[in-house]
Amino acid sequence: MRVAFLASEAGPYAKTGGLADVAGSLPKHLAKAGAEVKVFMPLYREVRSKGLPLLRASADLSFDWHDGPAVFSVWEEPTAKATVYFIEKNDYFERDGLYGPPSGDFPDNGERFAFFSRAVLESLRVLDFSPDVLHLHDWQTALVPAYLKFVYAEDPFFRKAKTLFTIHNLAYQGLFDREILGRIGLPPRLFHPEALEFYGRVSFLKAGLLYASALSTVSPKYSREIQTPEFGCGLDGLLRMRSGVLTGILNGADYAAWNPAGDAALARTYSAEDLDGKAACKSALLSAFGLPPLPRDLPVFGLVSRLAQQKGLDILLEAAGGLFGLGLRLVLLGQGEAGIEDGLKAAAARYPSFFGLRIAFDDGLARRIFAGSDMVLIPSRYEPCGLTQMYALKYGAVPVVRATGGLDDTIQEYDPKTGAGNGLKFAEAEPSAMIKSVRRAIALYSRKTDWMTLVRNGMACDFSWDKPAAEYLALYRALA
Ligand code: ADP
Ligand code: GLC
């Protein structure tokens, strides 16, 4: 099984969110399960800054682009477990930020990622890697099935290639003006509601949804939700039409990278068998955020998130008075939309002894938050999968989540009668519902036997990649 895996971000090279975790770890597990996988991503400034020993795999490739031949190179990471290739095109990718500054987009993102998609197809030929499956992720690579259908239809090299398009987030659609079709080498007739037009604009996402051989999302629940008007972002009709080829495969967690027993970022390591270190991580976390020590019966909550509407931080802000009235502490690490940042900063100024805020992207601090928190709060309005609840479980921080998408699939409400369950969840996206769950969590926290059962249940959860990787492989086989 020969798989070309295309993503706009992948760990440990460049990351803004969970897609990088998936694209950095799933290919290794596919390779372990026997697939031959080549990962492709852009050579961003951020990748270069890592100083990796990259080797040039191919230079001076070119294809016709709107302003003449587009010339680019392909670099290879020789130490990676699954082969990783980087597409070098400095005028598109040698910039600060992957998609734009923290709170915005580059104006030429459509062109940048259309170029990337085309460049990978051209690279495959030069690398003589004729894939059985091209596995594509989100709008940035969604044009690949359109290029295969409208540009490479007669090309024997791609005759056998099937495509799997994975939706990590339906709300990010890659919408651009009509004129872009001419600039990216696709026929203008695709500007049509039954093709790529979406309410007067060109939707890259639609190319994936319409033309990929199969579709998947990153949790079973989200695969059902997106077929409803509430979660369908205007595309639920199309998704219902394609429901026969749409499945949900829950993401995995890479426990080689996310394990409190071997995490060098922590003040002290610990495990389910020996939790002593977790208390040290908690004190270190409170002092890192300048928060006073807590009475024994009160917990610290953590939250690590992109600051986007999706994440329900408005619900958190509305609930702030009620939450801090309970005496708990909250530490939050995030970066993103300016409006949300401002709201959080105002709350941090108002509740300085309860709420610690860091506006940044900081992987080490994210880990210290999972380790030092008793609980994590995840109030998402929607969540295709969510990885922070999985990491929190492994680090012994109990998730209190909104029951949506992958959060609902991974978290089972704790039942004190049976001792089963790994967290707490609330259904309505309302401050009152959130506060009710938080109150229940604090009550459990004060009953140490229940609490330790809940923490240990979570640490014992196994979301490793072996099962999802096998599911992807079965899906590839069904296609090829
Ligand atoms: P999403 O992909 O929607 O952002 P996920 O829960 O799937 O949500 O994944 C988020 C990933 O990004 C996790 O690995 C999380 O730890 C990380 N992350 C998010 N924000 C930050 C931040 N400000 N600093 C460090 N890591 C972050
Ligand atoms: C998206 C989703 C998130 C998911 C991640 C990885 O960014 O918002 O829920 O976990 O992709 O699939």
Side-chain angles (χ1 to χ4, degrees), residues 9 15-22 168-169 172 251 258 304-307 310-311 333-335 358-367 370 378 382-389 391 407:
E9 54 182 87
K15 164 164 169 175
T16 68
L19 172 59
D21 297 33
V22 173
H168 294 259
N169 197 327
Y172 296 82
N251 283 335
W258 294 93
V304 176
S305 181
R306 287 185 297 112
L307 303 182
Q310 164 191 358
K311 300 295 182 180
L333 167 67
Q335 187 175 57
R358 191 72 47 85
I359 302 290
F361 192 93
D362 183 336
D363 182 65
L365 185 56
R367 293 161 183 279
F370 298 133
I378 313 182
Y382 72 92
E383 196 61 75
C385 179
L387 295 169
T388 62
Q389 80 279 17
Y391 302 151
L407 294 171

Side-chain angles (χ1 to χ4, degrees), residues 194 209-210 227 235-245:
E194 276 167 30
L209 301 184
L210 277 169
Q227 298 182 52
L235 293 161
D236 46 295
L238 171 52
L239 286 159
R240 284 195 300 277
M241 199 181 86
R242 298 224 69 203
S243 62
V245 296

Side-chain angles (χ1 to χ4, degrees), residues 150-185:
F150 299 106
V151 178
Y152 295 91
E154 308 298 321
D155 190 328
F157 187 80
F158 292 109
R159 205 181 45 234
K160 280 187 15 225
K162 297 291 192 303
T163 47
L164 170 63
F165 179 57
T166 298
I167 305 157
H168 294 259
N169 197 327
L170 193 69
Y172 296 82
Q173 304 189 346
L175 296 175
F176 304 98
D177 290 342
R178 169 180 199 156
E179 290 66 40
I180 197 161
L181 287 174
R183 297 175 71 78
I184 62 177

